Each structure stands twice: as C-alpha cells, then as structure tokens.
DNA sequence: TTCTGAGTGCTTTTT
DNA sequence: GCACTCAGAA
C-alpha cells in the first residue's frame, strides 16, 4: 500500500489517505489535484472498499477517462473498470436510463443537445402565437436553463413569484407559458435536455425514496472534482446521495470558478464546511506546474478579486522567463506572430508541436491562428467549436438512429422525414403536425396511421414506405448491436449514396464524415468498456445515450503531435509547456458582455488566472490594435488585466513600446487620448518588426482603373410584365404538344418548342414573345392554351 | 415541391 | 462574415 502514496507531499498524503467522513480539498492550480484524487481512489480500493461503491464525478469525460486509466495503472488490475467515474451528465444519464419508467419516460429516451432544444422552443413559441423576434430561441433557452439549474421546474415556476417577476421585468412575461409547453413537448417526445439530466435526477431521488436508498447504498464513497463549478441542482443531488454515509470528498479551487453562466455558484464550495460536521479541510498550496514568474503573475492578478478562500500558492520550480507581452497591428498579424514564434521555438528549444497551446476567450478568434498555422505548415487541432456530432450530415444520420430507438423523438423525425428527398414536403409535415396536436398523439403515430388522415395518394405512398423502412430497422433493435443497425441505415436510406454522389470538396468531406461516424460506431461497439463503466450494453439505445454528451476534447489522441487550440474554458484542468493567450484586449478579455457588475468582472479575472496558470515554462500574451469583428474593423485597448500584472515579471519588448513603455499602459493617458495619438511610436516599432499593415481595402475602384479581371455574369433580363387576358383560365396541359401557342400569367404569349421531363413531372420549353425562352414545369405553372 | 438569391441579425464561455 | 429566413421562380 505504501507504494501508492510514494512521492506525495504532506498535504497530498493527508488528503489521499483520508477514508471516512467529509473531506474538502482546496487545490490551487497545478498542485497535483488529479494525482491526489486518483491516489485516494486507489487507496480506498487497497483498503478493501469495493470499486462498485465508489462514485467519482468529473467535469469532462476526458478527465474521467484519464482518472480511470491512472487508477488502473496504479493498481495493476482491471478492478478500476468497475468504478463509476464520469461527468455529472453522463453518470446521471445512465442512472436515468435504468430508472426512466419511474418518471414516465421510455428508457431509450433521447438526449436533446442545445440545437434540438432551441428547435423545440421555436416550435413552441410559434404554436403559442408569440413573437419569435422577441422570444428568441437562444434567450428563452438560456432562461429555461437557468431556471432548471436553480432547481425551479416548470411546475415550481407557477408558484415562484420571484422568478415570474424577473421575467415580467425583463418584458418577457410569457416565459412561464413557454416553459410549460416546452417541458410538456420534451416529455411527449420522450426527450431530456442537458439540464433535465440533472433536474430529473433530482426529482427521481427526491420523490422516490426506494431509488434514493438504492443509490445511497450503492455509492458509499463519493468524490466530486471541480466543485467550485457545481450549480444548485448538482449540489442538491450530491447532498442527497451523500446523506446516508457522509463519505463525500470535494475538490475545488474558488479562484478557478468560471462557469457561473451555467448556473454554477461559488457558494457551494464556501458552504461545504457548514453542510457537514467535522469536515476535514486540506489545502494543496505547492504548485508543481509553473515557473515562479508565471505563478507570481497569476497570484498578483487574482488578488484584485474580493472574498476568496485564503491560500498561498508557491512553487519550488525555477524562476523562469518573464511573461512576454505582444502587440500587433491586426488579428492576422497576431496569428502570424504566434505561428512564427512556434516555428522559432521549435528550432531553438527543441519543442514539438504538442508542447504548444493557443488559448483564446471566444471560439471565433481561432480563425486567424488557424490560417497562419496552416500557411506555416504547422499541424494543429482545434478543440471545441462545432463538434463532430453537430455537423449537419452527422446529425442527419444520427437522427435516423434516434427515430429508430425512440419514435416519439419528433425533432429527429422532422429532420429525416424528407431527407433524402422523398416527396414529403413542408405542407405535408405541417398538416401532420396539426393532426398530431389535435388528436394529442405523436407525429410518428400520425404517419404510421397515415391512411386515416386523407393524404393524397402519392404522398401517402411515400409516407407508408418511410414507415415500413423504419419498422424494418426496429426489428433489429433487440438482437443486433448499434453498428449493425447503422450499417443497415446507411444502406437502405440512400443517405450514404446521396452523399457519395456529391463530388464537390464539401460533398466529399461530408461523405467522409459519415464514414467516420460509422467507423466510430463500430469501434464503440467493439470496445470492451465505455466511459462510465457501462457493462457491455452495445445496443443502439446505449450508444445514443452517450453520444450527445461527447465533446471534441474527449476524442483527443494524446500521442498526436499537434498544436492545440481551444478556449480558456476548454483548457481548464490542462497544462502545456508553452502557452499563447490571444486577444488580451478590452471587450474581448474581459468580454464586453461581462464588465457591468463586479461579479462578472471577477469571473473574467478568474478566467485570466486560469489562462495564465495553464503554462509550465513559457507564456505569451498578445493583443492587436485592431481586428475584424462582426465583419468590420474595431479597435480595442489592451486588457485591463495587463495593467494588473507586476511590472518586474513582464517583458514588453514585443509590445512595440520597448523601454519607453516600462511604466505600463496606465501612464499612456486615457484610452481616448491613446486613440487620438494613434500609437505613433509603437505602431512604427511594430511596423519595423512585422512589416507594414496591410493596405486598406479600397472601396469600389473607379471605372477605368483596376478593372476586375472577370465580368460578373449578366443579370437576367427583367421580366417584361404581362397583364393576363381577361378570360385567362388555366388549361389542362397534360397533353400539351410542341408547336402549340400558350399564354402565361407573367410571361405573356409564346410557343411551345419542346416537351421533356417524365410523365409525373413534365417540363415545357416555351419561347415567349416578350421574355424569351423559359422552361415551365407544368405541375406548378399555369398556362392557357391559345391554340 | 424544391431550389436559389437577397436580406437580416448576430457571438462569451459548455455539458 | 456567416448562417439562417423568406420570397419568388421553375
């Protein structure tokens, strides 16, 4: 057992060997938190505690995976496989899947991602005849999310004055109504959104005592990572689960709380000591990650925040280099600087690509970096942003799987009912939706009994074929695994064929993505165990349950030698030898959305703290004089956080100001004055270093000069309007022949020169006297046969 | 029913 | 600058 705790310092040892009773670990950045957590779990198991009785909740699937792997290595056995390790969302999804019937959900319930949720909200808002310009899906969605995270369910809302008044004050009095309908619709669809996974879990434990006892008994030891980022629902759930045994261990750092926008509250970690008696508190204050310079800067900046848990983070590591500040003219030059520097550092210090990380506040900043890296031929990977599973073609394919597993899933059904095109268009779907709402049945039930609702013959045939196909797939559910079903779907829906037919560059990429998806399903089916210890359930339902909760960061292949790019939020918990933080400018970092209250600004500052403490040895902070945002050029001042950094630890020689600027930016006058002066000297310096700024794009070059090398395609001649004859009555055109004279309501008189198309979709070519040759689809256009 | 082109509004961070 | 919506044409 001694070998497990070898190399731990005094505090780490105290935390790792604490077995029974509540424990709070305050772990500063880089203080070996993961090491302590994994050691503690291994230690518990070495002391005879069954892996099946240990629950560890992490913030990302990646962290969960890593933890399990490390414990496995420490113990040298397969026992770690039986641990319940996962994110709040994935662990609860799994429990809910087992207990769904208690709450009236099918156990193959769908998990809606934010896209699905927004889409349902849009439908609901329209059905309630509300203005979707005012009740924007995004806003409504985040409001509902906030309510759920604050433990206010749809029914609770009706009795919650404060919440109602808040919405009335925000001039959105119908939020309550939308919330009710949204929740009802999700339930009808057999679907839970991300927040439901928490809210329903809470409901389950709260309202079903036997279920609560079952899981209290199962999870005798509970560990929660990143406790500072838990929200009230998560707090209540863990409190319920831990109530019986009180063997709960939370790990957190109030200085790294950066998820309040998701309902997280720092209160939870501050409250912990009051919730349980005899809480053992351990502070991990020695940083093993960063140089003295980096740590000192981080500590110095975070001191500007009020109300923290007192701690004193220190390190034995080398002093290290000063933090380098970089000013560039534009965002593109910022990208170029970073790419150049990576190249230089690789040569000079023998770094490889994977030693570098580029961090930024917003996903949209990734573009400039991406372009420069590509130009320099440096391999990179962007984490976050649009995940693989959110790509249209991937979602389309998954939508089939979702419908097969859960026909109540209306969002998925609407997505695929006419994809690939099978003649079930908007009108048909709208009619079906109306029927479904009137009869209070699901959309699928309307389609599967389509004969009863008077669709026209050709439409009915399409619907019946579709229903038959889905039913065929469903016959495979019980005895075939997820991959087998997916292969059949690919074959019989014509989806893969359609993508294959598109030979454009994007089309090829889409085809490859779907192939990739099918491969990953196969891989998942064949892998021995999955994220949170699911035992060999390789059914389609099990596959779908975890897929929505996966993010890009989880597919990270550690061994690939690439520069990593991600938001600072995405970088939490990670470390890199060399870190670049881009866009350290006012209105970006801190975000312009978060400078209105002290709380918001302090969270931005914590985020800055997180960014700085990701670096082990070298750190560059860059900002640009101007950058494109919203499609137009904006000027930002350097971030206020730069002014908060201790001067002695900063190297401004890259910032264009050189020695003249040693005093920091605050002595340069107000932002206004600075803009007025136009940065004269600094700009010139930067110009020497990075070359002249790109020439301003000239607007609409004067005629004669600078002629475009091509002429834009000629605009179609405007239609010469035609007033239809007074006796205009559309003729039966089913026997129309070439040579006949016809009249068109808009184009006037003309002669049919050619007939083509199929019998179902005849197309006539008509040469009009006024408007020239047009192709007319006889199914839609109205023609009067003159002779 | 389906496709196209012009017009509009928007971005903070994520499970 | 892009993604989404809507109107109009075939």
């Amino acid at each position: 057992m001694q070998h497990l705790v070898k190399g731990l310092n005094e505090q780490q040892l105290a935390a790792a060997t604490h077995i029974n009773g509540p424990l709070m670990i305050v772990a500063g950045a880089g203080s070996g938190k993961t090491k302590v957590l994994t050691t503690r779990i291994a230690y518990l198991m070495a002391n005879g505690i069954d892996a099946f009785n240990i629950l560890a909740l992490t913030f990302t699937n990646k962290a969960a995976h890593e933890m399990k792997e490390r414990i496995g290595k420490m113990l040298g056995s397969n026992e770690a496989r039986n641990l319940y390790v996962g994110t709040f969302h994935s662990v609860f999804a799994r429990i809910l899947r087992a207990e769904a019937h208690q709450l009236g959900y099918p156990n193959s319930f769908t998990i809606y991602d934010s896209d699905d949720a927004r889409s349902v909200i849009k439908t609901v808002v329209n059905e309630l005849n509300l203005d979707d310009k005012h009740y924007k899906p995004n806003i409504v969605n985040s409001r509902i999310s906030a309510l759920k995270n604050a433990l206010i369910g749809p029914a609770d809302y009706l009795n919650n004055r404060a919440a109602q008044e808040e919405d009335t004050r925000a001039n959105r009095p119908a939020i309550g109504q939308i919330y009710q309908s949204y929740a009802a619709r999700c339930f009808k669809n057999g679907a839970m959104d991300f927040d439901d996974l928490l809210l329903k879990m809470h409901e389950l434990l709260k309202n079903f005592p036997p279920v609560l006892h079952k899981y209290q008994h199962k999870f005798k030891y509970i560990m929660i990572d990143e406790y500072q980022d838990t929200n009230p629902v998560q707090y209540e759930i863990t409190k319920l689960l831990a109530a019986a045994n009180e063997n709960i261990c939370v790990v957190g750092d109030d200085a790294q709380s950066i998820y309040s926008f998701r309902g997280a509250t720092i209160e939870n970690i501050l409250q912990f000591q009051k919730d349980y008696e005899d809480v053992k508190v351990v502070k991990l204050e020695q940083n093993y990650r960063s140089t003295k310079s980096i740590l000192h800067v981080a500590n110095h900046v975070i001191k500007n925040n009020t109300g923290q848990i007192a701690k004193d983070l220190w390190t034995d590591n080398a002093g290290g280099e000063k933090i380098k500040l970089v000013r560039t003219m534009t965002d593109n030059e910022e990208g170029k600087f970073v790419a150049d520097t990576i190249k230089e550092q690789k040569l000079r210090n023998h770094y490889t690509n994977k030693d570098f990380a580029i961090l930024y506040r917003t996903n949209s900043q990734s573009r400039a970096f991406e372009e420069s890296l590509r130009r320099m031929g440096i391999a990179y990977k962007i984490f976050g942003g649009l995940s693989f599973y959110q790509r249209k073609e991937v979602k389309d394919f998954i939508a089939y799987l979702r419908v097969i597993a859960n026909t109540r899933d209306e969002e998925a059904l609407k997505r695929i009912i006419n994809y690939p095109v099978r003649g079930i268009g908007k009108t048909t779907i709208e009619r079906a939706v109306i029927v479904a709402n009137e009869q209070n049945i699901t959309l699928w039930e309307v389609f599967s009994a389509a004969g009863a609702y008077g669709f026209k013959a050709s439409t009915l045939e399409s619907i019946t074929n579709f229903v038959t196909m889905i039913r065929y797939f469903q016959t495979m559910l019980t005895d075939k695994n997820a991959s087998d079903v997916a292969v059949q779907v690919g074959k019989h829906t014509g989806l893969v064929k359609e993508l294959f037919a598109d030979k454009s560059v994007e089309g090829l990429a889409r085809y490859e993505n779907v192939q990739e998806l099918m491969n990953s399903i196969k891989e998942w089916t064949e892998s021995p165990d999955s994220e949170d210890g699911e035992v060999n359930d390789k059914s389609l339902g099990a596959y779908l349950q975890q897929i929505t909760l996966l993010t890009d960061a989880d597919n990270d292949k550690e061994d690939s030698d690439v520069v990593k790019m991600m938001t600072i939020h995405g970088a939490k918990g990670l470390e890199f030898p060399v870190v670049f933080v881009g866009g350290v400018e006012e209105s970006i970092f801190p975000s312009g959305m978060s400078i209105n209250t002290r709380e918001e600004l302090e969270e931005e500052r914590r985020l800055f703290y997180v960014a700085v403490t990701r670096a082990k040895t070298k750190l560059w902070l860059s900002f640009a004089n101007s950058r494109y945002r919203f499609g137009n050029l904006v000027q930002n001042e350097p971030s206020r956080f730069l002014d908060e950094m201790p001067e002695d630890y900063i190297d401004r020689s890259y910032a264009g100001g050189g020695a003249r600027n040693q005093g920091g930016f605050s002595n340069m006058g107000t932002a206004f004055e600075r803009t007025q002066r136009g940065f004269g000297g600094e700009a010139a310096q930067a110009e020497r270093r990075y070359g002249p700024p790109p020439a301003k794009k000239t607007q609409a070059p004067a005629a004669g000069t600078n002629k475009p090398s091509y002429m834009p395609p000629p605009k179609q001649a405007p239609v010469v309007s035609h007033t239809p004859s007074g006796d205009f009555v559309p003729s039966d055109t089913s026997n129309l022949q070439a040579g006949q004279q016809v009249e068109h309501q808009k184009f006037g008189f003309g002669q049919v020169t050619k007939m083509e198309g199929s019998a179902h979709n005849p197309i006539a070519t008509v040469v009009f006297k006024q408007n020239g040759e047009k192709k007319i689809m006889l199914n839609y256009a109205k023609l009067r046969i003159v002779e």
Side-chain angles (χ1 to χ4, degrees), chain A residues 50-120:
Chain A
D50 194 338
F52 284 101
N53 294 136
I54 300 175
L55 168 69
L57 296 170
T58 61
F59 207 67
T60 62
N61 290 306
K62 192 185 171 212
H65 211 77
E66 198 179 304
M67 199 178 280
K68 235 181 193 182
E69 206 163 84
R70 278 167 79 159
I71 297 165
K73 272 188 195 144
M74 286 172 101
L75 294 169
S77 77
N78 274 337
E79 264 304 293
R81 198 186 273 187
N82 302 324
L83 291 165
Y84 242 91
V85 185
T87 62
F88 279 90
H89 293 266
S90 71
V91 167
F92 295 168
R94 190 178 154 199
I95 294 174
L96 284 167
R97 193 163 135 78
E99 311 289 343
H101 58 280
Q102 313 258 20
L103 300 169
Y105 281 85
N107 62 4
S108 57
F109 67 86
T110 304
I111 299 173
Y112 277 170
D113 66 14
S114 349
D115 280 339
D116 298 317
R118 275 194 295 262
S119 166
V120 175

Side-chain angles (χ1 to χ4, degrees), chain A residues 479-756:
Chain A
D479 55 333
K480 296 275 199 279
N481 66 34
S483 176
D484 295 334
V485 181
V487 168
Q488 292 297 312
V489 169
K491 244 187 224 158
H492 290 279
T493 56
L495 214 122
V496 174
K497 213 165 102 192
E498 169 150 331
L499 290 169
F500 185 68
D502 184 351
K503 296 296 182 195
S504 66
V505 182
E506 303 85 41
L508 195 67
R510 281 196 288 271
Y511 174 72
E512 281 168 359
N513 283 336
V514 169
Q515 290 297 334
E516 171 82 32
L517 174 68
M518 308 224 335
N519 287 341
S520 79
I521 298 176
K522 190 153 198 254
E523 209 172 287
W524 178 86
T525 314
E526 285 163 3
S527 72
D529 69 331
S530 51
E531 302 305 320
D532 50 9
E534 185 98 30
V535 242
N536 273 329
D537 181 357
K538 297 302 180 189
S539 68
L540 184 63
Y543 172 76
L544 289 172
Q545 178 218 297
Q546 47 101 45
I547 199 82
T548 319
L549 301 170
L550 283 185
T551 59
D552 267 3
D554 305 323
N555 302 327
D556 179 22
K557 300 265 185 295
E558 267 306 317
D559 45 347
S560 59
D561 185 34
V562 293
V563 174
K564 292 179 178 134
M565 296 169 54
M566 62 191 86
T567 64
I568 299 162
H569 284 90
K572 196 165 78 141
L574 306 176
E575 58 178 34
F576 312 92
V578 185
V579 168
F580 297 89
V581 183
V584 189
E585 296 154 30
E586 285 295 299
S587 93
I588 292 184
F589 195 10
S591 159
M593 316 283 280
S594 306
I595 47 174
N596 299 314
T597 65
R598 162 155 265 111
E599 288 72 33
E600 285 172 351
L601 188 62
E602 293 203 347
E603 178 147 322
E604 293 288 311
R605 191 175 284 115
R606 290 193 293 271
L607 195 55
F608 187 77
Y609 176 84
V610 169
V612 169
T613 52
R614 295 312 94 196
K616 287 162 108 168
T617 54
K618 289 173 192 280
L619 174 62
W620 272 268
L621 306 177
S622 59
F623 54 97
N625 281 356
S626 58
R627 67 174 64 233
Y628 277 96
R629 252 186 133 192
F630 261 135
N632 41 12
L633 203 63
V634 295
Q635 320 250 336
N636 292 323
E637 306 165 46
S639 170
R640 67 189 74 189
F641 299 141
L642 297 177
D643 287 338
E644 296 174 4
M645 306 204 314
E647 207 49 50
D648 297 348
Y649 291 82
I650 296 171
D651 174 0
R652 290 186 191 272
S653 61
Y654 296 81
R660 200 182 67 75
N661 236 358
Q662 286 297 322
F665 298 101
S666 36
N667 66 1
M668 289 170 62
T670 64
F672 177 72
E673 286 162 357
R674 260 184 271 163
T675 317
Q676 292 297 295
R677 277 189 275 137
F679 288 102
E682 298 94 288
Q685 275 261 358
E687 199 165 314
R688 227 166 294 142
R689 191 176 272 274
Y690 308 114
K696 288 248 161 33
K697 271 188 195 138
T698 43
Q699 301 228 318
T705 68
N706 231 353
K707 247 192 188 155
S709 54
Y710 68 95
M711 294 303 285
K715 269 262 178 222
Q716 268 200 326
V719 172
V720 178
S721 64
H722 164 76
T723 320
S725 320
D727 60 343
F728 187 94
V729 178
S731 313
D732 172 17
T733 51
S734 54
N735 288 317
L736 194 70
Q737 301 287 325
Q740 285 185 291
Q741 299 288 331
V742 293
E743 181 188 5
H744 185 274
Q745 273 184 302
K746 277 225 177 76
F747 302 131
F749 294 98
Q751 184 177 36
V752 180
T753 55
K754 197 169 146 200
M755 288 300 303
E756 58 191 325

Side-chain angles (χ1 to χ4, degrees), chain A residues 275-496:
Chain A
D275 285 341
Y276 301 91
E277 271 174 46
D278 292 326
V279 175
K280 178 167 176 131
V281 179
V282 178
K283 286 186 189 174
L284 306 179
E285 296 179 301
Q286 181 175 2
N287 172 296
Y288 294 94
R289 179 186 295 152
S290 310
T291 62
K292 284 198 174 68
S293 301
I294 290 168
L295 198 59
H296 187 76
V297 166
N299 279 339
H300 199 270
V301 172
I302 200 70
K303 280 212 182 82
N304 290 293
N305 276 6
T306 55
Q308 299 181 63
I309 298 178
K311 67 182 148 342
D312 189 18
L313 201 57
W314 60 280
T315 185
D316 250 352
N317 291 346
E321 297 171 13
K322 291 182 174 183
I323 282 54
K324 286 161 282 278
L325 250 47
V326 184
R327 160 182 284 151
T328 61
M329 294 300 289
T330 65
D331 46 353
N332 287 332
E333 284 177 27
E334 184 184 37
K336 189 171 174 328
F337 173 86
V338 170
D340 283 342
T341 309
I342 289 176
K343 194 177 176 191
E344 185 208 322
Q345 288 293 322
K346 278 167 70 175
L347 291 171
R348 200 191 287 250
N349 294 319
H350 304 291
Y351 285 117
T352 59
N353 289 334
K354 65 171 182 294
D355 294 323
F356 299 93
I358 304 172
L359 309 181
Y360 33 78
R361 178 69 240 267
T362 65
N363 280 305
S364 58
Q365 284 168 258
S366 65
R367 236 180 71 175
F369 295 112
E370 191 182 3
E371 270 169 29
S372 306
L373 290 177
R374 193 173 352 188
R375 209 165 292 151
M376 299 280 281
I378 298 169
Y380 64 88
K381 178 162 166 54
I382 299 177
F383 294 87
L386 194 64
S387 105
F388 178 74
Y389 299 103
Q390 286 175 305
R391 288 162 205 260
K392 187 188 170 299
E393 62 277 14
V394 175
K395 274 207 95 166
D396 288 336
F397 196 101
I398 291 176
Y400 271 96
L401 304 180
R402 276 166 55 177
V403 171
I404 294 163
N406 171 22
T407 49
R408 279 162 63 175
D409 186 347
E410 191 175 308
E411 285 309 305
L413 183 55
K414 279 196 220 155
R415 221 184 151 92
I416 57 164
I417 185 72
N418 198 29
Y419 179 78
V421 177
R422 53 173 68 86
I424 307 174
K426 221 167 102 189
T427 333
T428 310
I429 297 170
E430 265 165 24
R431 264 187 60 191
V433 167
I434 291 169
V435 173
N437 287 346
E438 275 172 359
Q439 314 252 330
N440 198 26
I441 55 177
T442 65
L443 193 56
W444 170 257
E445 284 166 324
V446 176
F447 285 135
S448 42
Y453 301 111
F455 291 104
K456 77 174 189 212
S458 62
T459 312
L460 183 62
E461 197 189 330
S462 304
I463 296 174
T464 317
N465 286 342
F466 176 78
V467 169
T468 311
M469 180 173 73
I470 298 293
R471 287 217 175 108
Y472 161 69
F473 294 139
Q474 285 175 329
T475 59
M476 297 186 289
L477 277 179
T478 41
D479 55 333
K480 296 275 199 279
N481 66 34
S483 176
D484 295 334
V485 181
V487 168
Q488 292 297 312
V489 169
K491 244 187 224 158
H492 290 279
T493 56
L495 214 122
V496 174

